[in-house]
Amino acid sequence: MPMKSDLRFSLPTPAQCGEMDRKASETIGISALMDRAGWAVAQAIRARFAPCRVLVLCGPGNNGGDGYVAARYLERAGWSVQVAPLAPPREGSAAFGAAAQYRGRITDFAPENARRADLVIDAVFGAGLDRPPAPEVVAVLSAARTLVAIDLPSTVNGTTGAALVEGPDYRMSVTFVRPKPGHILYPGREICGELICADIGMPEVCLEAAGPTIWLNGPGLWHVPAMSPEDHKYRRGVVSICAGQVMPGATRLAAAGARASGAGLVRISAGEGAAAYCLGAPGLVIDDGPLKTLLEDERRRVWLCGPGLTEPEVAASLPLLLASERIVLADAGALGWAGSEPEKLRGVSVITPHIGEFTRLFGAPGDDLVAAAREAAQRIGAVVVLKGAVSVIVSPDGRVALNDHASPALATAGSGDTLAGVIATMLAAGMAPWEAACAGVWLHGEAGMRAGNWPIVEALDAHLGDARAKAIALACEI
Ligand SMILES: NC(=O)C1=CN([C@@H]2O[C@H](COP(=O)(O)OP(=O)(O)OC[C@H]3O[C@@H](n4cnc5c(N)ncnc54)[C@H](O)[C@@H]3O)[C@@H](O)[C@H]2O)[C@H](O)CC1
Ligand SMILES: [K+]
């Protein structure tokens, strides 16, 4: 499990935020937090907009309470402010207190008022959103010229990032303590606009009590081994790759990715197809012997099976690897071989499907990628890396990392083969499967960001070493 120090990477769900708030009400008190939250919203707005006519749309819960506070601070700063309540806060609640402290202008919750304002603040629903907002609410939000959300847009599910209804895009969202998964996952990420996360002094024990299980991927959440004077190739780790005869390119890309990210030795198990690989990179070792014999070498613990393999080639290799209890990363052809029977993959350590491969294996994931990937990981007892613009990396024990450290530059053929090679190197370096997968995805993303405009997939390799060095340096700083 990530440790207490990893709370800085946590992405608490709205339900966990409820738990956090309950814990906070026993210590610091919700009113104090609400005051800081509303103040942070007012500050973020003052830093980005010139004084203008603001309308604050306030719902009945604490999100609305934050809105009343923001209205009060903006008015105090000399801005022209009106509040439009959707419904009054419950008597005695912190939001009720915040509403009472706001003594400025009140107007109707109506589209024409939103249209007249220069800036509309959405404090209708936040973490408490539990069903699609009514069409009247969406009509008022949609009438705004410029929208800022407090915590979350009132149309976005904070757990999944799904849009509960079709609604407007926001210029900015100001959240508190930590971002929520819905701020990171699409389409929520896009709807939110610029994301600001304000520190409102939430005691760490409250965040800990919330028990987050979703993390933002980054160095510090995991540690990649650094170079050491005692290194030798077996200590750095051996990556073995099952190669096919039909599509050698995929295998070669995976091998290059594994080498460029720091594997001590990469060997290609090519059988009768060895000739196709022998004239490739000179640093590669090509084996033409039978897999069964190669598996007698105990130093060859980590195997990559799938890139460039046909289904018969997978059938001839994967069951043998599993029977010999190797650490196996299954990708591409290996996922196709399993078809719609993912149990055939039981025993592998990591699978790396894109959404199409995931759907063939487990069925369509629907709106909740995290829940679908969690179920899949539990079903086969392996780490699932669901690849996408935001990749979801799930351990069978329920830990989830969301990776937004990536670039559209990675959306090119062969990029997945490179990624598989990088993750295999992390496994060969001795990292546990979830950590290895998280690290591999981050390094691959970093290489994509460094590779400039429209890189070909081979260009990623030149940046993987620097990406690894950066991950090591960042993890030390944290
Ligand atoms: N976590 C923090 O650091 C702090 C967060 N704060 C803010 O508190 C809100 C969450 O407040 P909560 O009262 O739990 O929920 P909401 O205000 O989002 O709404 C609850 C209210 O609305 C009803 N409801 C939900 N969905 C709908 C709908 N579609 N239609 C009608 N009614 C709906 C629901 O039943 C409740 O009655 C968080 O977002 C932050 O902004 C605090 O300020 C303290 C610190
Ligand atoms: K909101």
Side-chain angles (χ1 to χ4, degrees), residues 26-342:
E26 295 165 8
T27 52
I28 186 168
I30 296 297
S31 296
L33 291 169
M34 187 174 283
D35 201 73
R36 292 175 198 168
W39 182 83
V41 171
Q43 283 300 100
I45 287 174
R46 291 178 64 196
R48 284 163 186 79
F49 299 89
C52 60
R53 288 167 302 169
V54 175
L55 178 70
V56 189
L57 305 170
C58 290
N62 287 346
N63 195 251
D66 298 347
Y68 287 103
V69 175
R72 173 159 55 85
Y73 282 117
L74 283 173
E75 190 170 62
R76 191 187 284 180
W79 290 43
S80 162
V81 179
Q82 289 194 301
V83 166
L86 173 68
R90 186 175 46 79
E91 229 179 297
S93 66
F96 188 82
Q101 273 189 288
Y102 171 74
R103 305 227 165 73
R105 286 180 294 161
I106 300 279
T107 190
D108 291 339
F109 192 97
E112 55 274 20
N113 289 332
R115 217 168 284 128
R116 268 197 288 271
D118 300 310
L119 179 67
V120 173
I121 301 179
D122 167 6
V124 185
F125 305 117
L129 181 74
D130 56 11
R131 54 193 184 278
E136 299 79 70
V137 172
V138 182
V140 175
L141 294 171
S142 303
R145 276 181 276 160
T146 304
L147 260 175
V148 168
I150 298 190
D151 197 5
L152 283 151
S154 293
T155 51
V156 169
N157 181 322
T159 303
T160 66
L164 297 184
V165 289
E166 205 174 308
D169 283 342
Y170 289 64
R171 179 72 66 84
M172 151 171 112
S173 297
V174 184
T175 190
F176 317 111
V177 189
R178 292 288 307 149
K180 316 300 170 294
H183 291 119
I184 307 297
L185 291 158
Y186 285 95
R189 181 187 192 87
E190 205 152 28
I191 296 169
C192 284
E194 182 189 359
L195 178 64
I196 298 187
C197 184
D199 179 356
I200 56 170
M202 178 68 77
E204 203 172 68
V205 283
C206 301
L207 181 52
E208 199 182 3
T213 53
I214 305 181
W215 314 86
L216 188 63
N217 193 27
L221 188 60
W222 34 264
H223 295 262
V224 177
M227 268 188 217
S228 142
E230 287 118 57
D231 268 355
H232 52 76
K233 63 187 177 214
Y234 291 108
R235 196 175 131 139
R236 277 213 198 157
V238 184
V239 171
S240 300
I241 305 179
C242 297
Q245 296 205 41
V246 190
M247 292 175 284
T251 309
R252 291 173 62 196
L253 286 172
R259 294 182 69 210
S261 51
L265 172 62
V266 177
R267 303 181 72 143
I268 293 190
S269 163
E272 288 169 11
Y277 297 94
C278 281
L279 292 178
L284 276 174
V285 175
I286 314 299
D287 297 300
D288 58 4
L291 183 55
K292 219 169 168 187
T293 313
L294 304 181
L295 285 169
E296 285 165 12
D297 185 346
E298 290 295 330
R299 293 171 303 187
R300 301 181 68 171
R301 287 182 315 116
V302 173
W303 285 77
L304 171 56
C305 184
L309 296 196
T310 60
E311 287 181 19
E313 286 167 339
V314 174
S317 54
L318 188 55
L320 266 179
L321 297 176
L322 295 179
S324 62
E325 297 188 340
R326 290 312 206 264
I327 297 169
V328 178
L329 192 168
D331 183 35
L335 308 179
W337 166 79
S340 56
E341 294 172 72

